[in-house]
């Protein structure tokens, strides 16, 4: 099974094995996963819309600031469900449906904060809560910068 | 001249090295599974009465050593050596449990193969006359392993069906001469096999070739055939890896049939969410020390091969794009029945 060049298994063997192993690995059911994500993601957005309408018509909030309150409420719900230990179970079923909306972002921060609480508030919670969300923020800001740059240039060109 | 070596790379134990006592403890989910009546202690939650998961894992290892020692009719100060391994950074569960028990420690890392690595080393120390009584113990904990290898426990990312569920539990065996427990007869230490697989959510496929390689070497060296065994179990190949190993061995002319099982599939009930099956050091350990040893003492099983499989990567190595090197260690146990 091994060759003598000190590299362990040779490349051809590895390729053959990868091919063989693939036939044993259950294929993810993309259509079912997409459908679940569509339904759950859609429900999250519908809930957001309902919240927004409720803030505007029920509480007399200005439409311009109702969006922020909606996001805050969804984030609160996601964090609460994370703390209660059910968000990961919903996420396993819903996949992208709960990962893509703002709830997924909230869960990634709350779960990391919870996970590292045992290492203390400064080095544990503070140092690790953006462990997963950090890259979203970094690349989000970078992408926003370039989009902003393009927009400015286009406006400059088109006058 | 290595007198106790047989064949290319296996060892034969001839002095009557045996498992004097064995114990298994586990978390709540495992406690509701297939092993529920065979565990020495089931903890009501993942904290096991401690304030962190790491301390909980350590507590399990401390407790399981106590159980095994008691069952062998010994006290911890009569044990010469503590051989232990786990999955955490720098093997802390093993070291911290040894601090509590005050038994000389040899910490061992073999990822999930540590169960048979420690058992084999223990048998070697007794066979060689270096120790009278040795305890081998391993532990794993679902939440500490998630933190060590993957994401925060409560993170809602979706895992594929090839992923496995790290078993929360610990197993320990007391090794010495005499007693009534099963004899440790043969052992084969595995080579590191790497077939280039890189998916940390599919350890079964990565580890399967290592298991096949070690099992084949064990058969060749000992001269035993699959028919000589009542049971051959792999540690944690689960639903994906186990059939691959069976087929790889069939290609080499070893038809293992129904007697070939996997510890990762002998822990949870089908209705418990465990993805492809159990994994972790405790997977092979709680099945071996909790169930197999008991069944051997009851005469239900006579000759058993346990092949503990381990994936020897860490989060840094796979983030840097390296493939997953794997290993498997095999031990043959024999009952004291009529044979």
């Amino acid at each position: 099974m091994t060759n003598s060049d000190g590299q362990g298994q040779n490349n051809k063997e590895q390729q053959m094995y990868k091919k063989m192993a693939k036939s044993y690995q259950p294929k993810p059911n993309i259509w079912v996963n997409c459908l679940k994500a569509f339904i759950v993601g859609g429900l999250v957005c519908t809930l957001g819309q309902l919240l927004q309408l409720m803030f505007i018509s029920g509480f007399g909030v200005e439409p311009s600031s109702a969006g922020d309150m909606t996001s805050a409420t969804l984030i609160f719900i996601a964090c609460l469900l994370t703390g209660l230990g059910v968000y990961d179970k919903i996420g396993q079923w819903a996949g992208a449906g709960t990962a893509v909306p703002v709830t997924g972002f909230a869960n990634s921060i709350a779960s990391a904060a919870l996970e590292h609480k045992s290492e203390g508030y400064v080095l544990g919670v503070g140092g690790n809560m953006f462990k997963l969300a950090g890259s979203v923020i970094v690349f989000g800001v970078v992408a926003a910068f370039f989009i902003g740059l393009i927009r400015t240039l286009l406006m400059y060109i088109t006058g | 001249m290595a007198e106790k070596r047989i064949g290319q790379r296996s060892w034969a134990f001839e002095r009557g090295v045996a498992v004097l006592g064995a114990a298994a403890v586990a978390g709540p989910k495992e406690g509701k599974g297939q092993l529920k009546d065979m565990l020495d202690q089931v903890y009501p939650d993942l904290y096991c009465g401690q304030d962190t998961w790491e301390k909980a894992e350590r507590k399990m290892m401390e407790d399981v050593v106590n159980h095994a020692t008691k069952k062998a009719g010994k006290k911890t100060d009569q044990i010469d050596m503590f051989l232990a391994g786990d999955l955490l950074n720098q093997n802390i569960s093993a070291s911290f449990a040894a601090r509590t028990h005050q038994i000389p420690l040899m910490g061992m890392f073999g990822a999930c193969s540590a169960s048979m690595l420690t058992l084999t080393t223990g048998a070697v120390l007794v066979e060689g006359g270096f120790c009278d009584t040795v305890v081998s113990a391993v532990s794993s904990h679902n939440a500490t392993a998630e933190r060590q290898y993957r994401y925060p426990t409560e993170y809602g990312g979706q895992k594929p069906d090839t992923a496995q569920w790290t078993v929360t539990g610990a197993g320990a065996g007391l090794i010495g001469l005499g007693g009534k427990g099963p004899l440790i007869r043969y052992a084969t230490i595995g080579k590191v096999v790497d077939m280039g697989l890189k998916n940390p959510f599919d350890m079964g496929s990565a580890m399967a070739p290592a298991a096949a390689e070690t099992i084949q070497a064990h058969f060749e060296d000992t001269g035993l055939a699959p028919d000589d065994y009542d049971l051959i179990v792999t540690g944690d190949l689960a639903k994906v890896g186990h059939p691959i190993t069976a087929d790889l061995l069939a290609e080499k002319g070893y038809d293992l049939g129904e007697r070939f099982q996997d510890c990762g599939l002998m822990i949870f009930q089908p209705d418990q969410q465990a993805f492809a099956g159990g994994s972790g050091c405790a997977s092979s350990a709680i099945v071996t020390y909790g169930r197999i040893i008991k069944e051997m003492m009851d005469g239900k099983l006579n000759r058993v091969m346990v092949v503990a499989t381990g994936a020897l990567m860490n989060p840094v190595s796979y983030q840097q794009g390296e493939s997953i090197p794997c290993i498997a260690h095999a031990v043959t146990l024999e009952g004291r029945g009529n044979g």
Side-chain angles (χ1 to χ4, degrees):
Chain A
M1 226 168 195
T2 53
N3 59 13
S4 54
D5 64 2
Q7 295 288 324
Q9 287 64 43
N10 67 42
N11 214 353
K12 201 174 149 212
E13 253 182 332
Q14 291 186 335
Q15 292 309 325
M16 274 171 64
Y17 177 70
K18 270 188 210 167
K19 219 169 157 186
M20 174 204 171
K22 206 161 185 161
S23 65
Y24 292 80
Q25 295 156 359
K27 309 243 167 340
N29 196 330
I30 294 171
W31 293 110
V32 172
N33 285 347
C34 284
L35 189 70
K36 284 177 177 173
F38 176 76
I39 293 170
V40 178
L43 283 173
V44 173
C45 297
T46 311
L47 175 69
Q49 191 61 48
L50 286 173
L51 284 169
Q52 195 168 5
L53 290 173
M54 186 188 79
F55 284 128
I56 295 169
S57 52
F59 294 88
V61 178
E62 287 294 314
S64 56
S65 47
D68 298 341
M69 289 179 75
T70 303
S71 299
T73 311
L74 286 176
I75 288 169
F76 173 77
I77 294 170
C79 292
L80 188 68
L81 292 176
T82 304
L84 293 173
V86 289
Y87 197 93
D88 57 331
K89 293 179 181 72
I90 302 170
Q92 180 59 38
W93 193 84
T98 48
V100 174
V102 71
T103 51
F105 191 67
N107 163 255
S108 73
I109 296 172
S111 64
L114 273 175
E115 183 80 11
H116 293 279
K117 186 175 166 286
S118 63
E119 292 147 49
Y121 284 102
V122 177
L123 295 175
V125 176
N128 290 290
M129 69 191 291
F130 292 99
K131 211 173 175 180
L132 297 166
S135 63
V136 180
I137 295 173
V138 170
F139 292 108
V141 170
V142 172
F145 170 76
F146 283 107
I147 297 293
L149 204 67
I150 292 166
R151 184 170 178 262
T152 314
L153 283 172
L154 281 176
M155 280 169 68
Y156 184 75
I157 294 162
T158 55
Chain B
M1 178 69 196
E3 290 154 16
K4 309 212 182 214
R5 185 176 64 209
I6 52 169
Q8 290 281 315
R9 46 190 261 236
S10 297
W11 297 329
F13 302 101
E14 280 145 4
R15 284 184 66 199
V17 183
V19 180
L20 306 177
V25 301
K29 184 168 176 170
E30 293 72 15
K32 293 189 190 88
Q34 297 180 40
L35 297 172
K36 66 173 185 282
D37 302 322
M38 301 169 211
L39 297 165
D40 294 275
Q41 189 175 349
V42 175
Y43 301 90
D45 58 47
L46 285 181
Y47 282 102
C48 311
Q50 308 296 307
D51 56 6
T52 68
W53 287 320
E54 283 72 17
K55 282 184 191 163
E57 179 172 344
R58 181 185 316 162
K59 177 85 169 74
M60 290 194 298
M61 194 185 267
E62 290 168 5
D63 287 348
V64 83
V65 169
N66 283 332
H67 286 298
T69 312
K70 213 169 160 187
K71 283 165 97 173
K74 303 232 180 227
K75 291 198 170 81
T76 46
D77 57 14
Q78 293 174 290
I79 301 172
D80 301 326
M81 191 63 72
F82 185 30
L83 302 169
D86 59 89
L87 297 176
L88 302 188
N89 280 342
Q90 288 78 36
N91 253 6
I92 54 165
S93 307
S95 308
F96 285 56
R99 177 180 70 183
T100 303
H101 284 306
Q102 288 296 304
I103 310 168
L105 169 73
M106 285 167 79
M108 314 198 107
F109 183 80
C112 311
S113 71
S115 59
M116 291 303 116
L117 178 65
T118 53
L119 186 67
T120 302
T121 314
V124 168
L125 290 174
V126 174
E127 177 82 14
F130 296 102
C131 295
D132 287 322
T133 315
V134 174
V135 62
S136 67
V138 293
S139 64
S140 59
H141 187 292
N142 184 272
T144 61
E146 285 296 308
R147 183 214 292 262
Q148 178 73 61
Y149 290 101
R150 291 175 277 270
Y151 299 116
T153 322
E154 299 301 332
Y155 176 59
Q158 195 174 35
K159 286 183 182 172
D161 294 334
T162 51
Q164 292 175 232
W165 184 271
T166 307
V167 174
T168 302
L174 241 75
I175 308 156
L177 299 173
K180 293 192 181 73
L183 296 170
I184 301 167
R185 288 288 288 128
Y186 304 106
T188 304
I189 294 292
K191 287 180 186 172
V192 175
V193 176
D194 187 339
M195 282 301 185
L197 274 74
K198 292 183 176 178
N199 183 1
F201 286 110
D202 180 14
M203 303 288 216
S205 303
M207 296 190 294
E213 205 271 343
T214 299
I215 294 171
Q216 189 188 348
H218 199 70
F219 282 141
E220 284 170 1
D221 289 349
T222 59
L224 293 167
D227 288 343
D228 295 321
Y229 286 90
D230 298 312
L231 177 67
I232 298 170
V233 284
T234 45
D236 54 355
L237 295 179
K239 274 182 212 158
V240 180
H242 190 253
I244 300 181
T245 300
D247 288 354
L248 286 173
L249 286 165
E251 274 174 28
K252 304 274 180 189
Y254 296 99
D255 181 15
L256 273 55
E258 291 292 308
R259 69 172 64 78
F260 187 47
Q261 295 183 31
D262 182 67
C263 296
L265 300 171
M266 296 162 80
I267 296 169
F268 300 108
Q269 303 283 6
D271 61 341
Q272 291 180 301
Q273 167 64 295
F275 304 100
S279 67
C281 302
S283 177
S284 55
I286 67 173
V287 172
T288 305
Y289 295 126
R291 176 175 168 179
I292 295 172
I293 302 276
K294 272 192 196 81
E295 291 189 350
M296 294 186 82
M297 290 178 82
D298 293 345
K300 285 183 203 159
L301 297 170
N302 187 41
R303 190 182 279 135
V304 176
M305 187 201 302
V306 182
V307 189
T309 37
L312 304 173
M313 86 318 180
N314 75 11
V316 176
S317 74
Y318 75 68
Q319 278 167 11
Q320 290 178 344
E322 294 201 56
S323 54
I324 304 172
C326 298
I327 199 162
H329 306 301
V331 173
T332 290
L333 300 166
E334 273 177 16
R336 295 283 185 83
N338 302 320

